[in-house]
Amino acid sequence: MKRIKGMRLYLGWLLIAVVLALVTACGNAENAGNAGNAGNAGNAGNGGSVSSGESVSVSSGSGDGGKTLRIRFYDDPAGFDPATIFRVENENIAFNIFSGLTTYESKTGEIIPDLAESWTTEDNQTWNFKLREGVQWQKGYGEFTSADVLYSYERIIDPAVASPYASEFGNVESFEAPDPYTFIIKLKSPDGNFLHQVANYHQGQIVKKEAVEELGERFMWEPVGTGPYQIESIRTNSEIVMVRHEDYYRGPAPIAKLVFSIIKDDDTASIALQNGEVDLAMRIEKTELLQKLEAAGLKLNVLLERAVNLRIFNTEHGPLADARVRQAWAHAVDWTGNIQATNPMGQMAASNLLPTWMDGYTDDIPVYEYDPEKAKALLAEAGYPDGFSITMHTRSVEESEQLEQENLRAVGIALDFEIVEAAQYNQIRNEGNFEVSGRQLPAVNPDTILFSYLHPDNIAPKGLNGARYSNPELTAKLEAARAEVNADTRAQLYAEVQRIAMTDLPYIPRLAANGYWPSSQNVQNVNINPLSQVNFFEVDITE
């Protein structure tokens, strides 16, 4: 409760006494409602157990009254502009603020309508979208129309914006908005997977021109969308508060307010969940913590094999330019054994760039078994019988990476870690200025992974091909797969792409990460989609 200062300048002592009595009574009631330092789920307006921090954004919003859900957020926010957004935790916020022409069904990952209520195509090259009428922007920005789609997509491909997702529209010939509720996209070549490009993710998220221009650089912290929730406030190193968009086209969400408490340490987050200080934890994936939470009666809310985590080699750097060296690295590390020794619940073994559940996946690829002697032989064959030294920038060193370092040392490769801050780490990766690095890209569409990592048009800093990999044979097959109408032929082409990539090995699949969002038993419908996102419109709290 905010105390009113200076009252004695205007009121007499008697009135002050009355006011102080009322304030004391109100304060006691407030403290009682915040018992446990975070309050109970369902008590609207409680701020959660967060430390004070500098306010970086305050926007008007609804959300007074109704249910409140407290959620652990595991890192400092880095902004929510779809054109430049990075990292899964930020993408979860954006997923609930913005909408795409299409979106993903939470449990199956299937494409379903969003801002487009229907679409047609006869050749997978010209796509006609019929847009919903009456959809309202947050914060009084009026009705959504095709002009908003046109502005959003043209903004993504504008070189001045420098979006890392511009290449996702590289196959687009033209965008057209012939009337307020029709949008037409013509492609250079057919693409049967194109509906993924306009989904509620990165480049597919629709923004409002007037909001972007009015807010300028503040837009990344005060975004305006058409989704079920909007930002109310952000306090750095402390919390993000979102309130529901009362005019959301599907109706108001069951939960009025989402309070994301920034708790970076997993052990601290686990304790907060057990103590009732948060109701839901975004991403706790350590085996020992998950076992404790399950034993304490909490729900784990899991998505297995949510994304493949890769080791990225800069193929233009020294010894890493030789595929035999990269293959030696793969054989030198006991990937499966290291997972079992460190985090068997949170991680799984992986042998391909694609997860096993994804369309187009094949297991008919080279597999690199743990074989230190073969690794040494490959290094000697490549001209490095005594090994070499290499540096990897990272934000922190995981236990499995320490074991990887030991495995490599045994065959003569000296891997050094250089710890950097998050912003510098992202810059290094995005610009491709590294020797070896890592990345994990959640996706539903195989094109998202294969084109992003392997196509030369996406070589960093233009895209996510941080390996600077280019193989004309693979590129031709990849482009043919995207244009192919016949599903069987397309699957065969994708399989050939994977075989070439896993032979050249610009990337090594380190592991497949499992996604866990543990919660109290009364938190319902926490469905983690294949992009590692939760649609909070579906989530509810029961008594």
Side-chain angles (χ1 to χ4, degrees), residues 309-313 320 326 328-339 341-342 370 390 392 394 396-417 436-438 507-511:
N309 188 290
L310 303 177
R311 178 67 66 233
I312 310 173
F313 298 118
L320 298 179
R326 304 192 293 268
W329 190 303
H331 281 299
V333 179
D334 185 6
W335 306 104
T336 300
N338 293 349
I339 290 169
T342 56
Y370 177 50
I390 198 115
M392 185 173 80
T394 184
S396 61
V397 181
E398 300 175 0
E399 287 182 84
S400 61
E401 290 175 324
Q402 293 175 10
L403 294 179
E404 180 180 357
Q405 183 185 46
E406 292 179 10
N407 292 156
L408 292 170
R409 185 182 299 117
V411 301
I413 300 175
L415 172 63
D416 295 321
F417 298 110
V436 62
S437 189
Y507 306 86
I508 294 178
R510 294 180 56 236
L511 56 89

Side-chain angles (χ1 to χ4, degrees), residues 149-163:
V149 185
L150 183 62
Y151 170 76
S152 298
Y153 293 172
E154 289 183 340
R155 179 173 180 256
I156 289 290
I157 63 177
D158 182 355
V161 175
S163 172

Side-chain angles (χ1 to χ4, degrees), residues 413-470:
I413 300 175
L415 172 63
D416 295 321
F417 298 110
E418 184 174 333
I419 308 298
V420 296
E421 294 295 326
Q424 184 181 1
Y425 177 65
N426 286 331
Q427 182 179 3
I428 288 169
R429 287 196 307 171
N430 295 345
E431 294 178 352
N433 293 327
F434 56 79
E435 298 173 1
V436 62
S437 189
R439 188 177 289 278
Q440 184 169 293
L441 179 63
V444 182
N445 176 14
D447 275 353
T448 301
I449 293 176
L450 298 177
F451 266 82
S452 295
Y453 287 145
L454 302 173
H455 199 283
D457 286 353
N458 292 327
I459 290 176
K462 291 181 179 180
L464 301 185
N465 185 350
R468 303 186 179 278
Y469 174 75
S470 179

